[in-house]
Amino acid sequence: MTTDHALPFGNERLTTGQWIEVRSPYDDSLIARVPKCDEQHVQRAVAFATAVRDAGPLPPYQRAEILDRAATALSNRIEEFARIIAAEAAKPIRTARVEAQRAVSTFQFSAVAARTLAGEVVPMDASAAGAGKIAFTLRIPIGVVGAITPFNFPLNLVVHKLAPAIAAGCPVVVKPASQTPVSTIRLVEMLIDECGLPAGHINVVTGGGGTVGNAIVEHPDVALITFTGSPEVGWDIRAKAARKKVGLELGNNAPVIIEPSGDWETAAAKISVAGFSHAGQSCISTQRIFVHETIATDFTDALVDNVKNLVVGDPMDESTDVSALISTGERDRVHTWVDEARAQGARVACGGEIGDDGVLRPTVLTNVDDDMKVCALEVFGPVVAVMTYTDFDDALRRANTTRYGLQAAVFTTHIADAMKAAQTLDFGGVLINEVPTFRADQQPYGGLRDSGNTREGPKYTVEEMTDARLIIMNA
Ligand code: NAP
C-alpha cells in the first residue's frame, strides 16, 4: 500500500498539495508520495531553524542524550529502516541492514563527540606579548546547517550530517535525494517523536535539487552546506556559496593494486563484494584493479568465478547480492560505457548485458586501457576493470592518474612496498591488505581533488560545524 508522507517541518507536519512519487528502481512500483516543496518552503524551513539558533543551543549533555536515544531507537528498528532503504534505493536487503546498523554506530560516535566537544588552551606565556594572560577556545555552533544528500546511502549518509549537527548544537534544513526521501522523513520523525529532539531543530524539505537544493545553498541565513553527491553539483554549490563554509563529499574511481606477494585470493573474494555492493553505486566502490602480470590470470579467474556466483534480482529477496541501478537512464549509461570499452578492445570476462528483468549483470572487464571511460571516469555501476602491470612504481603512478582522490588500496606482504604506497598514493585514505571500499563510521573519511574538500566522521564533522571562539583573560 502506498503511503503519503508529511514532512517534519518546524512544529508542523507539512504537506504542500503537490506530490513527488517515489518508485522502486527495481520494478517501478509506487512506494510512497512525498510533498513537492518549492523555494518558499525553504524560506520557511530556514526561518524555523534560525529561530532555534537564536534561542541558543541545547547543552551538550542533552544533545548526547538525544543521540544515545536515537542509537537505541534505531537499533530497535533496523528491519523497518532496511526495508525502506531496499524499497526506495533497490539496495539488496542484507546490504540495507548493514547500512541501518552502521547508522546506529554513527549516532553512537556522535554522542561521544557531543560529550567530548571542547576547545584548547592557548599557551599565551610562550611569547612576551602574551605574558600574564590566559587564553582558551570555546567551540561555538556555526549556525544553520543546510544538508543535501545522495540516493546511494539514504539513511547513513543522512545520519552522518544530522547526528553531528545535533552534537554541535546546529539546527538543520535537510534535503534528501528525490529518489530516496522516505528514509530521511522517517528518521527525523523518529528523532522528534521518540528521542526528544525539539521540533524545529531538523526540518525536512523534499523537491528538486535545482529548486529546493539551490534555495538552501543561496539562503543567506544558512551558515554551512554539507553536501554529498556528484562533483558537478558539488563544485557548482561551492562556487555559488562563496561566503558559506561548504563541505563536499564527492565521487571516486577507486583503485586497488595487487602485488604477487599479496593475498590475491582474498583480494578476489573481497572485490567480488566491494565492486558490486549496491550495484557499484558507492563512492568507494572498487573500480580500477591493477594486478601484477605474474598473477593476473589466476587472480582474474578467481574474481570472475566469484562474480558469476553473485545472485541478481529483487532487492527484497534474501538471496540477492546485486539489484537494479537507481534508474533505467543510469543503467543504460553504464551499459553504453561497457559496450564502448568492448569496441575499443576490452574483453568482457563476465556480465556486460542487461537481463530479462532489466538489471545490468555484474561485469568484469579485462584488457582495459587507462583512458577508457570505465577506468578514467567514475562508473557508479556494477563494473570493474582489470589491468595488468609489471612494475610497482608504475602501478602507483597509474593509480594516482585520476581526477579523484578518495580511497586507494594495495595488497602486499612487503613492508617496504606498503610504506611506499602509503607515502605515494595521493588519496584521502590508503588501505593496505584491504579493499578501498572499506569505511568505518568513526574514521576521517573524505577525498582530494574531485573527491571533495572535507573529512566526515562524527568527530571531524562536529569540528567543521563549530567555530573556535578565542577567550583571552588578563589578570
Ligand atoms: P547528485 O546528482 O549530485 O545529487 C546529490 C544531491 O544533490 C541530491 O539531493 C540532489 O537532488 C541534489 N542536487 C542536484 N542538483 C542540485 C543543485 N543544483 N543544487 C543543490 N542540490 C542539488 O548525486 P547522486 O546521483 O545522488 O549521487 C551520486 C554521486 O554521489 C556519485 O558521484 C558518488 O560518488 C557521490 N557520493 C559520494 C560520497 C562520499 O562520501 N564521497 C558518498 C556517496 C555518494 P535531486 O535528487 O532532487 O536531484
Side-chain angles (χ1 to χ4, degrees):
M1 195 179 68
T2 306
T3 312
D4 288 347
H5 291 273
L7 302 175
F9 191 83
N11 289 315
E12 307 169 26
R13 294 293 151 101
L14 179 81
T15 55
T16 61
Q18 286 187 295
W19 297 96
I20 302 170
E21 290 186 344
V22 181
R23 290 187 170 274
S24 159
Y26 177 67
D27 61 12
D28 202 40
S29 58
L30 187 61
I31 296 165
R33 299 194 312 165
V34 301
K36 184 175 183 187
C37 297
D38 60 24
E39 289 90 341
Q40 298 308 315
H41 297 108
V42 173
Q43 298 287 337
R44 288 183 56 208
V46 175
F48 286 131
T50 307
V52 168
R53 179 200 67 192
D54 292 347
L58 297 172
Y61 79 91
Q62 284 184 12
R63 304 176 206 165
E65 285 170 1
I66 291 165
L67 293 162
D68 280 340
R69 285 194 288 270
T72 303
L74 185 56
S75 62
N76 290 331
R77 292 168 62 175
I78 296 292
E79 191 60 24
E80 175 192 338
F81 275 95
R83 297 190 85 76
I84 295 170
I85 296 167
E88 64 181 356
K91 181 171 286 190
I93 185 71
R94 285 181 288 116
T95 319
R97 285 188 195 112
V98 174
E99 178 179 346
Q101 198 61 56
R102 281 184 53 192
V104 172
S105 163
T106 308
F107 274 121
Q108 289 167 335
F109 282 109
S110 297
V112 172
R115 288 197 170 91
T116 53
L117 180 57
E120 60 179 350
V121 173
V122 182
M124 297 304 281
D125 283 347
S127 75
K133 293 181 169 60
I134 291 175
F136 53 91
T137 57
L138 301 174
R139 299 302 309 189
I140 306 298
I142 195 167
V144 175
V145 166
I148 302 176
T149 57
F151 72 83
N152 60 340
F153 285 83
L155 182 67
N156 194 32
L157 288 184
V158 177
V159 175
H160 262 290
K161 299 183 185 315
L162 303 190
I166 294 171
C170 296
V172 183
V173 176
V174 55
K175 191 212 96 62
S178 292
Q179 297 105 327
T180 57
V182 181
S183 302
T184 299
I185 296 169
R186 296 303 295 270
L187 174 75
V188 179
E189 283 174 351
M190 184 192 84
L191 288 168
I192 294 171
D193 297 344
E194 295 176 38
C195 307
L197 183 75
H201 278 69
I202 299 179
N203 307 277
V204 183
V205 285
T206 45
T211 52
V212 168
N214 191 53
I216 296 172
V217 169
E218 294 193 334
H219 199 296
D221 291 339
V222 174
L224 177 148
I225 300 289
T226 171
F227 172 85
T228 301
S230 60
E232 293 68 27
V233 175
W235 292 118
D236 189 43
I237 288 174
R238 169 68 282 179
K240 279 183 181 154
R243 301 182 69 157
K244 298 186 201 316
K245 207 166 178 182
V246 178
L248 303 175
E249 291 281 3
L250 310 174
N252 193 32
N253 57 355
V256 55
I257 299 171
I258 302 162
E259 276 280 274
S261 74
D263 181 351
W264 56 263
E265 282 177 298
T266 296
K270 286 191 174 220
I271 292 168
S272 67
V273 177
F276 302 94
S277 181
H278 198 197
Q281 297 167 118
S282 159
C283 44
I284 41 174
S285 197
T286 301
Q287 178 179 331
R288 297 182 292 147
I289 304 167
F290 297 98
V291 56
H292 194 272
E293 63 175 5
T294 54
I295 54 168
T297 303
D298 290 341
F299 165 82
T300 307
D301 288 349
L303 176 66
V304 170
D305 280 350
N306 289 330
V307 173
K308 280 181 175 167
N309 283 330
L310 294 173
V311 176
V312 178
D314 186 336
M316 292 299 179
D317 192 323
E318 291 292 334
S319 64
T320 296
D321 297 305
V322 177
S323 190
L325 286 169
I326 195 68
S327 66
T328 50
E330 277 300 284
R331 177 200 65 190
D332 293 344
R333 174 189 61 78
V334 177
H335 191 216
T336 304
W337 286 18
V338 170
D339 279 348
E340 191 178 298
R342 196 191 324 234
Q344 290 168 344
R347 192 175 80 79
V348 180
C350 67
E353 77 281 355
I354 295 171
D356 293 341
D357 54 4
V359 178
L360 180 61
R361 290 319 190 233
T363 303
V364 177
L365 298 173
T366 61
N367 207 28
V368 172
D369 284 341
D370 294 14
D371 53 3
M372 292 177 185
K373 278 184 190 153
V374 289
C375 179
L377 306 181
E378 180 184 35
V379 172
F380 222 55
V383 179
V384 296
V386 181
M387 294 152 286
T388 59
Y389 69 90
T390 53
D391 175 54
F392 186 55
D393 287 340
D394 190 46
L396 293 171
R397 181 191 59 75
R398 289 166 70 189
N400 273 341
T401 307
T402 171
R403 56 188 277 226
Y404 297 109
L406 193 45
Q407 292 196 153
V410 175
F411 281 80
T412 177
T413 51
H414 288 165
I415 187 78
D417 287 340
M419 287 180 63
K420 184 186 269 190
Q423 286 162 341
T424 309
L425 285 170
D426 196 18
F427 290 77
V430 176
L431 295 96
I432 308 298
N433 296 320
E434 185 49 273
V435 285
T437 315
F438 177 85
R439 179 182 185 184
D441 290 284
Q442 72 274 30
Q443 73 185 55
Y445 177 80
L448 314 172
R449 300 183 293 280
D450 267 358
S451 291
N453 65 356
T454 190
R455 294 294 177 274
E456 263 186 7
K459 174 182 160 199
Y460 309 95
T461 311
V462 168
E463 263 167 42
E464 292 291 311
M465 291 181 175
T466 52
D467 284 324
R469 177 181 296 160
L470 177 68
I471 312 296
I472 299 179
M473 299 180 66
N474 221 348

